[in-house]
Amino acid sequence: PPGFIESSCRSRIFWMKLNKLLLQGKFFQLEINDPYAGPILLDEKLASRCGYVLSEDVWGNPIFRASVLGCHVANEADELFSLTVNIKVSSFSSMRAAVTYVYPMYCSYSSWASREIVCEENYMEVSVRTDVPAVSNDYTVAWMSALPEIQNVAYQQWQLMFVSPSGRKRIMVSDAAKLGYSFNNTLSRVYLRAPYHSNESDISVVSGVTMNMVTSTSMYRQRWLLLLIDTTVSCPVDGLSFTDTTLTWTVPSVIPTLVVQESTFLSKNILMGVDGQVTINLEEKNYLLEHNKTHIRITIPIGAEGGKLKSSVSGDVYGVIYSIDLFLEHTWIDADWQTTKYTVMKPVTTPFMPQIPTVTKNTLPEERLFNVAFGHFLPDVSLVAIAIGNVPFTLREAQLHGFRIYETPFSNRTKGFTLEVSFDDPHVLKEYVNRNETKYTLLVNYTLSVGPEMTLYYHSAEVECVIADIDIPEAAGSCDEENLYLTIPTFGLHRYWDLYLGNKLLNRHVMLTNGYLAATNSTHLILQIPLFAVGIIYEEVSFQKIKARFDVALRKVRTMETLQMFSVSCNFNSSAFIICHPDGTVMVSAQMKTVPAIDMSKTKLRDSSCKPREYNEGHAFFKFHVTTCGTSVRFEGDHIIYENEISYEKDTLPRQSIPTITRDPDYRLTVLCYYRAKETLVLGASTSDPSISPSFGSGTMVPRSNIAVHRRIRQALNVVSRLSKDESFVEFYEPNMAILKRPMEPVFLEVELKDRSPNAELYLENCWVTGSLDFNSTPRWNITVDG
């Protein structure tokens, strides 16, 4: 088919290339068409013995090269050469039903040097013109060792003498072919072709470069003529070195086994090229050719034109391999050979070079868009799939979902893959951080197909962006005659933050328990808090006036960090109320509705010394502690109830006999405060943060006559405490006695429950010392805390 085969003659080499695109999914074989024996299948042994090479160029196209002195080449006067190759192509590995393409090639080459040496991939070849003096005046060891064998040379037959460290070996040409050698003569030349590392070869190091050489003498006897021809050949087998950016190929300038008289050596011309073709303008391709008396050095930048970078994966690491087919042609003269043309074909492939891809974060916060560039890659890499937040997508699925993926070409013939994902995509992780910021995290896993082998390569990346895109809500407060109202935006509630009453999450259960009412609409939560509900802070309580505040903390869901305190504070006019503080303080505003009216200044508590703080014609205001003013205590279920009584001292008209005469009505008002037993400090209470109000007691006032009998469920506990002088608890201090103690000196305290009830147990929870008889005074010093 058109474009399947390309061929050319490059110096003294047949060069044929097959188009790999037309061989995809197919199998092929090459046959060498022998003019006498017919087609012969090309294999490795035949190739190295007969001067053929079958390999691939750096682009993966099959390449066939053949020496014009090859076994099956038709030679016309050492100037015109022809070779016919059969290319068999089949869809089956067994090569059945193969199609055969017969392809003849022609070369003309007449500029033969006296000696030409070719170092190919799989063979070494030396050809010598036979009309030059064969024996040097400088008798070397090799020549001298050959002389005793002269008399044994067969008449009119070529024989070969190999000299190696193991000794001399003389064989017939027919036997040499069995060892992988090829020897023949043409009209004007004799040539020897040898495989690398044969038994007759030797290894030497010349100027730091390892050389494989075959030292041989070709001998021919006819009548009076005895012809000895030096057919020694030596080729480099290494000489490569690599850096991250360059490869260097070094070849010795002078090879002693090929130049007997080094003093007469003169280098005439050094050429280099790629793919068997001489490169003229080395600077344009950034090639560097250097030489001195000992070395010829070629330096090629990794990725330079003429070679090919190939992507690869090794150990789950992405990298590249650079390949280039170099050749070197060195022409020199010396006294023995006049002119030697030395040609070396050198396919070079670098070791695997890791190229860790980079993830460039071009995030656009103002557009709320992740823009992630992933590269750089060679053209033989393709993106086949991605996973966002561990959710896999094919490229088509990703595009349909709304992700934008596109390739970005770069000037150095590489490319990258750009991915755009919105912050608001559900597969993007979102975390509320700091005060008003969101951290958006994009977790992406790339799946790429690498190289012609289409090896899968995986790479993960994490991209973060923190932006201030959250508005901290602002609350509004209001009040009516009996309630406080707090209106809070619902955006972010329970997602970013929660509402807390003190240290308790303000959930539905707490609101129901405390008597709050909650209502929501599409944008706001409205809390209704009764004036005397739990959690109300009474900033100021006076006669017929209450200044009350309700605080709610806005806290982050995860860290419980307080971001904002929402407060509503109002003044209330109330003619009758009772407030039971958690520390045991009771404030009562009592309204006395009697006929006739009484003098409110004469009202009192059970302890007649406890008078109203404020009063007018119809009201009296009392403030006292549950441990004073004759207050009694009893238990009902899980509540502790403190009870006192507001009564009126009657004015009587003195008479000589009973009964007394009074115009004042009989009036009593019972004051009750209820506390939950597990949440109440019976003998005292305190809080380190006055803005955090513990649960308040609830109170009620019950007016009753003086003849009413109050049924007590249980009498007040009889608890006695005293201070011992030492740990023996034998001698005790007198009550109300001032005691001086140093800060680290122990205090021996005894608390005794006098009740004999089997259902009562005593647990000491908190104990402290104050500087006055008022146990709520400051400063205070804790003795025991929480038992």
Side-chain angles (χ1 to χ4, degrees), residues 125-261:
E125 180 184 275
V126 54
S127 70
V128 178
R129 191 157 52 198
T130 56
D131 61 352
V132 298
V135 180
S136 172
N137 292 327
D138 183 8
Y139 296 99
T140 64
V141 175
W143 282 99
M144 294 301 291
S145 64
L147 292 178
E149 302 291 334
I150 292 175
Q151 59 184 359
N152 296 323
V153 174
Y155 185 67
Q156 289 187 337
Q157 287 188 2
W158 284 100
Q159 296 185 33
L160 299 176
M161 172 68 70
F162 293 102
V163 180
S164 67
S166 60
R168 299 192 307 273
K169 179 188 292 187
R170 182 167 58 87
I171 60 175
M172 301 298 290
V173 171
S174 57
D175 295 328
K178 298 175 183 178
L179 299 176
Y181 296 95
S182 180
F183 177 85
N184 210 340
N185 66 306
T186 66
L187 181 66
S188 61
R189 305 186 73 79
V190 169
Y191 65 85
L192 173 70
R193 195 159 36 246
Y196 285 95
H197 308 296
S198 66
N199 291 334
E200 294 73 32
S201 67
D202 190 17
I203 296 295
S204 65
V205 178
V206 179
S207 300
V209 179
T210 302
M211 309 290 291
N212 188 220
M213 63 180 179
V214 175
T215 303
S216 65
T217 301
S218 303
M219 300 178 290
Y220 183 80
R221 181 179 180 181
Q222 184 178 5
R223 294 183 181 179
W224 50 266
L225 175 66
L226 179 63
L227 187 62
L228 303 180
I229 300 177
D230 183 3
T231 48
T232 296
V233 63
S234 181
C235 289
V237 294
D238 62 10
L240 293 173
S241 61
F242 306 94
T243 68
D244 291 340
T245 56
T246 61
L247 66 87
T248 301
W249 178 30
T250 303
V251 178
S253 294
V254 181
I255 303 170
T257 55
L258 302 181
V259 181
V260 178
Q261 301 181 65

Side-chain angles (χ1 to χ4, degrees), residues 95 152 343 587 693 748:
M95 298 304 297
N152 296 323
T343 303
M587 291 180 284
S693 175
F748 304 98

Side-chain angles (χ1 to χ4, degrees), residues 517-551:
L517 294 178
T520 57
N521 56 27
S522 59
T523 59
H524 287 81
L525 167 69
I526 303 171
L527 286 177
Q528 175 184 318
I529 307 98
L531 174 60
F532 297 107
V534 174
I536 294 291
I537 300 170
Y538 301 97
E539 297 178 313
E540 181 182 341
V541 179
S542 61
F543 188 50
Q544 292 186 328
K545 177 184 177 182
I546 300 175
K547 184 178 182 181
R549 189 182 84 241
F550 183 73
D551 295 336

Side-chain angles (χ1 to χ4, degrees), residues 30-32 41 45 79 120 170 183-184 223 318 343 424 429 459 483 485 511 528 584 592 616 641 643 699 750 762 765:
L30 292 187
E31 293 177 338
I32 307 301
L41 181 64
K45 289 184 177 181
E79 292 185 0
E120 255 289 5
R170 182 167 58 87
F183 177 85
N184 210 340
R223 294 183 181 179
Y318 172 78
T343 303
D424 302 311
L429 302 181
H459 189 90
N483 301 282
Y485 296 91
M511 287 191 288
Q528 175 184 318
M592 305 298 190
N616 62 12
I641 303 174
E643 179 181 322
E750 178 185 86
L762 176 64
E765 188 167 4

Side-chain angles (χ1 to χ4, degrees), residues 282-587:
L282 301 180
E283 296 80 6
E284 290 182 2
K285 300 181 182 296
N286 293 319
Y287 299 165
L288 180 63
L289 174 62
E290 303 171 294
H291 61 90
N292 54 31
K293 292 182 179 180
T294 60
H295 294 92
I296 301 171
R297 183 173 289 111
I298 296 173
T299 302
I300 306 293
I302 300 295
E305 182 182 350
K308 182 187 179 185
L309 279 167
K310 170 191 169 185
S311 298
S312 182
V313 176
S314 177
D316 297 328
V317 176
Y318 172 78
V320 298
I321 296 172
Y322 178 68
S323 299
I324 189 169
D325 293 333
L326 298 175
F327 89 93
L328 172 70
E329 184 179 283
H330 184 196
T331 304
W332 73 77
I333 60 174
D334 61 71
D336 293 302
W337 289 100
Q338 293 182 10
T339 303
T340 297
K341 183 184 288 186
Y342 187 79
T343 303
V344 185
M345 301 290 186
K346 191 68 174 179
V348 180
T349 298
T350 66
F352 176 80
M353 297 178 289
Q355 303 282 326
I356 306 301
T358 58
V359 175
T360 305
K361 305 170 185 178
N362 302 316
T363 303
L364 304 171
E366 63 280 2
E367 298 182 18
R368 299 181 62 80
L369 189 69
F370 284 111
N371 181 292
V372 185
F374 182 44
H376 294 192
F377 295 101
L378 297 178
D380 61 357
V381 175
S382 58
L383 181 64
V384 296
I386 61 171
I388 303 296
N390 297 322
V391 178
F393 294 90
T394 65
L395 294 190
R396 177 173 175 78
E397 290 171 343
Q399 298 283 3
L400 292 175
H401 180 79
F403 303 139
R404 187 171 177 227
I405 304 173
Y406 54 92
E407 288 189 5
T408 304
F410 300 108
S411 58
N412 61 353
R413 293 180 292 172
T414 63
K415 65 180 180 180
F417 304 99
T418 300
L419 170 67
E420 292 183 356
V421 179
S422 170
F423 286 0
D424 302 311
D425 189 271
H427 299 95
V428 173
L429 302 181
K430 304 167 185 66
E431 181 184 0
Y432 175 47
V433 296
N434 303 324
R435 180 174 176 82
N436 62 336
E437 295 175 329
T438 304
K439 180 170 74 173
Y440 296 92
T441 303
L442 176 66
L443 300 177
V444 55
N445 288 279
Y446 297 91
T447 301
L448 301 105
S449 174
V450 175
E453 300 84 5
M454 293 189 291
T455 305
L456 293 182
Y457 169 69
Y458 306 95
H459 189 90
S460 60
E462 180 175 329
V463 185
E464 294 181 352
C465 184
V466 178
I467 58 173
D469 60 352
I470 295 179
D471 294 326
I472 301 297
E474 296 292 336
S478 61
C479 299
D480 60 18
E481 293 180 356
E482 297 179 349
N483 301 282
L484 296 86
Y485 296 91
L486 199 59
T487 304
I488 305 168
T490 54
F491 171 78
L493 274 181
H494 313 307
R495 178 183 177 189
Y496 299 137
W497 41 67
D498 282 319
L499 297 176
Y500 277 79
L501 177 64
N503 287 323
K504 287 186 177 181
L505 177 65
L506 193 58
N507 54 26
R508 181 178 298 275
H509 173 73
V510 171
M511 287 191 288
L512 290 174
T513 302
N514 293 344
Y516 306 159
L517 294 178
T520 57
N521 56 27
S522 59
T523 59
H524 287 81
L525 167 69
I526 303 171
L527 286 177
Q528 175 184 318
I529 307 98
L531 174 60
F532 297 107
V534 174
I536 294 291
I537 300 170
Y538 301 97
E539 297 178 313
E540 181 182 341
V541 179
S542 61
F543 188 50
Q544 292 186 328
K545 177 184 177 182
I546 300 175
K547 184 178 182 181
R549 189 182 84 241
F550 183 73
D551 295 336
V552 174
L554 185 74
R555 293 186 180 181
K556 294 173 69 172
V557 170
R558 293 184 60 185
T559 65
M560 292 185 61
E561 174 190 352
T562 299
L563 299 175
Q564 195 88 295
M565 288 297 298
F566 298 139
S567 298
V568 54
S569 179
C570 294
N571 293 322
F572 293 87
N573 295 319
S574 180
S575 58
F577 60 82
I578 176 171
I579 299 174
C580 303
H581 282 271
D583 63 356
T585 300
V586 180
M587 291 180 284

